[in-house]
Amino acid sequence: MVGARPQVSCRLTDGDAADLAAHHAVRHAVFVEEQGIFAASDRDVHDDDPATLHVLGLVDGEPAGTVRLFPLGDGLWQGDRLAVLTAHRTSGLGAPLVRFAVATAGAAGGRRMVAHIQPPNERFFLRLGWTRVGGVETYVGHPHLRMEIALGGP
């Protein structure tokens, strides 16, 4: 059907090798190839930490977006590496990815989540209930804004 809204969904990779490879491929396409934020790879120590949760976003069943989240301690979680492939930026996948990360951290006992976001994305996060904390700061060598949201818990 012409004009039908794409079906979007999110799931944890849960260690599935194919899902994890797709997750990393999306991040590489966005943060290395498209935006040039990282020279060769956006992977870091958090990717190898078993406490890190990798989320894969799908559009009509195809990998199209990612987010990862990890605990920082005392009920604080960090969400990062939110990415949606260029071809799917109008699919509506971004908000479900953020909501999935927030719900997942809350279900894991988190009380608050923080994220460092690129300044052009501030309005998007504000609409999702996040609050800006402070001014522009350098994160991974580029200007970012620190934002946070209270988590509902289990």
Side-chain angles (χ1 to χ4, degrees):
M1 173 174 23
V2 175
R5 297 259 329 143
Q7 294 295 312
V8 300
S9 62
C10 303
R11 68 173 183 244
L12 290 172
T13 63
D14 283 334
D16 178 271
D19 277 358
L20 196 54
H23 171 95
H24 286 297
V26 170
R27 285 175 32 188
H28 185 84
V30 172
F31 297 122
V32 177
E33 295 173 11
E34 177 192 341
Q35 297 181 359
I37 291 176
F38 301 94
S41 174
D42 77 314
R43 294 188 194 197
D44 62 20
V45 297
H46 296 291
D47 288 304
D48 297 325
D49 184 338
T52 298
L53 303 177
H54 297 89
V55 178
L56 186 61
L58 306 168
V59 174
D60 293 331
E62 296 297 319
T66 66
V67 66
R68 75 173 181 185
L69 56 150
F70 48 90
L72 297 172
D74 293 328
L76 182 63
W77 281 71
Q78 179 160 328
D80 70 3
R81 302 302 199 268
L82 174 66
V84 175
L85 295 173
T86 305
H88 297 287
R89 296 226 171 107
T90 60
S91 69
L93 179 59
L97 278 166
V98 173
R99 289 185 185 114
F100 186 90
V102 167
T104 300
R111 294 189 322 265
R112 191 165 46 100
M113 179 176 267
V114 296
H116 295 89
I117 62 121
Q118 296 174 23
N121 298 324
E122 179 181 16
R123 188 186 200 135
F124 169 77
F125 276 83
L126 290 171
R127 283 194 308 257
L128 293 174
W130 290 67
T131 303
R132 180 175 167 177
V133 180
V136 176
E137 57 186 51
T138 300
Y139 181 72
V140 296
H142 297 273
H144 280 74
L145 301 172
R146 181 179 168 100
M147 299 195 76
E148 67 179 19
I149 191 168
L151 302 175

